[in-house]
Amino acid sequence: MADVNPFSLSGTAHSQHWPSLVSPDWWLNKGFMAATGQPKSAWRWNPGTTMLSTQRGVLTGVVMYLLMVFGGQVVMKGVAKPIRLKRITQLHNLALTLISGFLLLAFMEQCLPAWRDRGFFFTICGAESWTQPMEVIYYLNYLTKWLEFVDTALLVLKKKKLEFLHYYHHSLTMVLCFEELLGRVSVAWIICSINLLVHVIMYYYYFLASCGKRVWWKEIVTTLQIVQFVVDLGLCYFCLYTHISYHAVVPLPSVGADCRGTRLAAYYGCVLLSSYLLLFVQFFIKTYIKGEKGNHLGFRPMNYDGMKAAPQPAAQPAEPAKAD
C-alpha cells in the first residue's frame, strides 16, 4: 500500500500534474532521490532540524549579512580597484533567472489544479491548500533568498554605492519567507509566484546588462516591482481581514470563512510589503521622474560594470532595485 501523505489534497503522495519531462515536480523528485536517496514526498519542514529553520539561525544570517555590507564597504575602501568578477556575476544572474522560472512553474503545477477544482479563495485561504508538495517549493524559494545575498557581495566587491532599499529588502525578505514557512500562510503561494515572475524578468535583465548588452527596459522592471507590491498588499490585507473578521467578538462583515496562517506572519507581511511599496515608489520618483526630467519611459541603455563605481550626477539613472 502506498504511503499516505497527510498534506496532499488527494490523500496520496501523488503531486505530479504535468507530463514528466515538463513537470517541475517530477524533476524535483529526481533531485531528491539523487541527493538523499528518498522521494520528495518523504521530506518535511521541521523547525529546529531542517537546515536554516531556526529563528536564531535567521537572526544570525541577517546580522552576518549586514556585517558583510558595512564591513565589506570599509574593507573595499582600502582596495585600489573594484573587483568585478564579471563571469561570476553573469553566472549568478543567469542561475537566478532559471531557478526563479523553475520555481514559478512548480507553484503553477500545484496551484492551478487546486484553483480549477476548489476555487481561488480556497488556494489563498483554505487550510488544506498548504500541502507537502507546496511546502517543498516554499522552502526552496526561501533558500533562494539566502542565495540572493550574493547580489550584495558582488556589489560590495565592485565598490558600488548601496541604497538603503537594497540591503533592507534583501535581509528582511529572507525573514518574511521564513515566517511564511513557520506560519503556513496559504496566500503566500501567489505572493511568491508574482515575485518569481518579476525575478525571471529582473535577473534576465541583469544577465543581459552584465554581458554588456544595451537594455532599454529597466524602468519597466521597477514598474513591475511596484505593481507586484500593490497586488501583494491587496491580497494580504484581504486575507488578514478575513481571518480577523471570522474570529472577531464583535460581528464584522465577512465572507464567513477563515484564512490559514498565523497572525504574526500576516502582520509582518503586511507591514513589510507596505514599506517596500513606499520605498520603491520613492525610488521610482527619485530615479525616473526627478532625476530624468524630459525623458520617456524606457529606452535608456545601462552600462552594468560602470554603474555606481563613482558618485553619479543627478541626471544619471540608478539601476532598478533588486526586489524580493
Side-chain angles (χ1 to χ4, degrees), residues 121-253:
F121 181 80
F122 170 80
T123 67
I124 65 172
C125 281
E128 295 179 10
S129 65
W130 186 279
T131 66
Q132 187 271 345
M134 289 282 286
E135 196 164 64
V136 171
I137 308 169
Y138 283 125
Y139 179 66
L140 294 175
N141 182 70
Y142 163 62
L143 292 183
T144 66
K145 303 310 170 191
W146 290 82
L147 178 59
E148 287 166 13
F149 287 172
V150 176
D151 292 350
T152 308
L154 292 171
L155 291 174
V156 169
L157 291 174
K158 293 174 185 178
K159 302 181 72 170
K160 292 188 177 182
K161 178 184 175 182
L162 290 177
E163 301 284 346
F164 169 76
L165 174 57
H166 178 94
Y167 50 83
Y168 173 77
H169 77 70
H170 262 54
S171 57
L172 295 185
T173 299
M174 182 270 286
V175 180
L176 174 62
C177 290
F178 173 75
E179 289 295 335
E180 288 173 344
L181 271 167
L182 282 182
R184 294 189 172 183
V185 182
S186 294
V187 73
W189 78 266
I190 194 166
I191 295 172
C192 292
S193 296
I194 296 173
N195 177 244
L196 288 167
L197 176 61
V198 172
H199 274 201
V200 170
I201 299 169
M202 183 183 74
Y203 280 108
Y204 181 62
Y205 163 85
Y206 279 103
F207 170 70
L208 292 177
S210 66
C211 293
K213 304 293 185 181
R214 297 174 64 85
V215 186
W216 57 265
W217 34 276
K218 64 179 177 177
E219 265 183 51
I220 296 176
V221 176
T222 307
T223 303
L224 288 174
Q225 292 167 336
I226 293 173
V227 172
Q228 168 191 217
F229 296 127
V230 171
V231 175
D232 288 351
L233 283 170
L235 289 167
C236 286
Y237 280 110
F238 168 77
C239 292
L240 178 59
Y241 175 79
T242 299
H243 174 74
I244 291 175
S245 63
Y246 183 79
H247 294 278
V249 176
V250 179
L252 295 171

Side-chain angles (χ1 to χ4, degrees), residues 53-90:
S53 64
T54 65
Q55 293 178 332
R56 181 177 180 179
V58 169
L59 178 60
T60 300
V62 171
V63 171
M64 295 300 293
Y65 172 76
L66 294 176
L67 285 175
M68 177 189 69
V69 171
F70 300 110
Q73 289 177 326
V74 171
V75 171
M76 289 306 296
K77 286 182 179 180
V79 178
K81 293 183 180 180
I83 303 173
R84 299 207 176 275
L85 302 176
K86 184 175 181 180
R87 294 300 181 193
I88 293 178
T89 300
Q90 292 170 350

